[in-house]
Amino acid sequence: MAAIAAEGLRRLPLWAIAPLLGALVVLPAAVFPWIPVPELISADSAKSTLNLARDGFRQLFIELRALLKRREVLLTLLLFTAPTGSFALTNQLGGVAQDFHASPAFVGRMGGAVLSLAGAAACLLLPLLARWIKSLPLYLLIGTVGSLFTLALLLLPRTPATFAVAFLGENVVQALSFTAAVAICFAAIGRNNPLAATQFSLLTSATVIPILYMGVLDGRVYGGHGLARMYLIDGSLSLAACALMAAILWLFARRPAANPS
């Protein structure tokens, strides 16, 4: 998708490529009408469908209310909504490639096969790291190393080679971070949890929140102060968030969990 977007924006007018990219994103959802739903097999009316949807949403809100009373769920939500492992710069670097004198074609190639291989390799690397470090401290360690990597980019010259290093490095640590986040979700859910699906969806969706607000912040900093300040703000905030969350989790780990009523 990154390669198609880059090449499409270079070769096609915006009015043509924008709907095409939107259609490609939505296309997988086209299979939904053909997925069988057992509850609807014998339903012949729209009323049955509406009742099913209403009951489903009612059950969803009941489950969410129950989940938000659990300490481990709240702590995990706080961990994921903080900018500890979002690495929003992965979404910003392609737009500032001109600062590195990188051509659009070069950016497209970096966002294509090379980036896919780097992300896959990072995901496969996580189980090896998890043999020595548990998922929660590993997540914070990845966030810390990634933040230091972002700050280290301040020392490198602004060349296409530096762009390649920054682009690949940020995406590798983001892939590692998201894979560790999924492991944390499974650990928090545990076994035989009747709310497993709702809890997994709630926690994984929280990982998108810092990408949104850090993306806005990075863009505003870059627009007002340039690339170096964007590196500095992004890396410093992520590093501070990792340190703060490590302290919070350490304090709560020392407190015994409250007995359920």
Side-chain angles (χ1 to χ4, degrees), residues 29 97 124 213:
L124 294 172
Y213 67 74

Side-chain angles (χ1 to χ4, degrees), residues 31-41:
V31 74
F32 287 175
W34 286 272
I35 296 178
V37 181
E39 292 85 354
L40 292 180
I41 291 177

Side-chain angles (χ1 to χ4, degrees), residues 73-161:
V73 171
L74 293 175
L75 284 175
T76 308
L77 281 174
L78 180 61
L79 177 69
F80 289 165
T81 54
T84 48
S86 59
F87 300 107
L89 280 181
T90 55
N91 301 325
Q92 302 284 46
L93 287 173
V96 300
Q98 68 276 4
D99 287 46
F100 299 91
H101 312 289
S103 68
F106 181 77
V107 175
R109 288 192 295 269
M110 290 299 302
V114 175
L115 186 56
S116 299
L117 292 174
C123 292
L124 294 172
L125 177 62
L126 189 90
L128 300 178
L129 298 175
R131 293 179 182 177
W132 293 283
I133 309 175
K134 292 182 179 180
S135 57
L136 187 54
L138 179 58
Y139 179 81
L140 292 174
L141 178 61
I142 293 169
T144 301
V145 172
S147 302
L148 293 174
F149 173 79
T150 299
L151 294 174
L153 294 174
L154 289 165
L155 306 176
L156 299 180
R158 297 181 184 180
T159 63

Side-chain angles (χ1 to χ4, degrees), residues 25-253:
V25 172
V26 175
L27 185 61
V31 74
F32 287 175
W34 286 272
I35 296 178
V37 181
E39 292 85 354
L40 292 180
I41 291 177
S42 60
D44 298 324
S45 65
K47 183 177 180 181
S48 299
T49 304
L50 291 173
N51 289 338
L52 179 65
R54 182 188 60 196
D55 294 341
F57 277 107
R58 182 187 298 117
Q59 184 62 31
L60 171 64
F61 291 127
I62 291 173
E63 293 180 0
L64 287 175
R65 190 180 303 114
L67 285 174
L68 293 176
K69 294 179 181 179
R70 297 184 178 181
R71 188 179 71 171
E72 68 274 12
V73 171
L74 293 175
L75 284 175
T76 308
L77 281 174
L78 180 61
L79 177 69
F80 289 165
T81 54
T84 48
S86 59
F87 300 107
L89 280 181
T90 55
N91 301 325
Q92 302 284 46
L93 287 173
V96 300
Q98 68 276 4
D99 287 46
F100 299 91
H101 312 289
S103 68
F106 181 77
V107 175
R109 288 192 295 269
M110 290 299 302
V114 175
L115 186 56
S116 299
L117 292 174
C123 292
L124 294 172
L125 177 62
L126 189 90
L128 300 178
L129 298 175
R131 293 179 182 177
W132 293 283
I133 309 175
K134 292 182 179 180
S135 57
L136 187 54
L138 179 58
Y139 179 81
L140 292 174
L141 178 61
I142 293 169
T144 301
V145 172
S147 302
L148 293 174
F149 173 79
T150 299
L151 294 174
L153 294 174
L154 289 165
L155 306 176
L156 299 180
R158 297 181 184 180
T159 63
T162 299
F163 174 83
V165 170
F167 200 58
L168 288 177
E170 293 287 340
N171 278 277
V172 164
V173 290
Q174 186 184 64
L176 280 170
S177 178
F178 280 3
T179 310
V182 172
I184 292 172
C185 291
F186 285 135
I189 290 170
R191 296 182 180 275
N192 302 319
N193 185 344
L195 305 180
T198 303
Q199 185 170 338
F200 182 81
S201 300
L202 175 67
L203 295 179
T204 53
S205 63
T207 61
V208 182
I209 295 175
I211 294 180
L212 295 176
Y213 67 74
M214 286 298 292
V216 173
L217 177 62
D218 288 343
R220 289 186 177 276
V221 172
Y222 175 78
H225 304 282
L227 183 66
R229 185 67 64 86
M230 182 177 72
Y231 280 157
L232 182 62
I233 296 297
D234 187 279
S236 299
L237 283 178
S238 297
L239 191 61
C242 288
L244 179 60
M245 286 308 307
I248 291 174
L249 292 172
W250 181 78
L251 288 174
F252 273 90

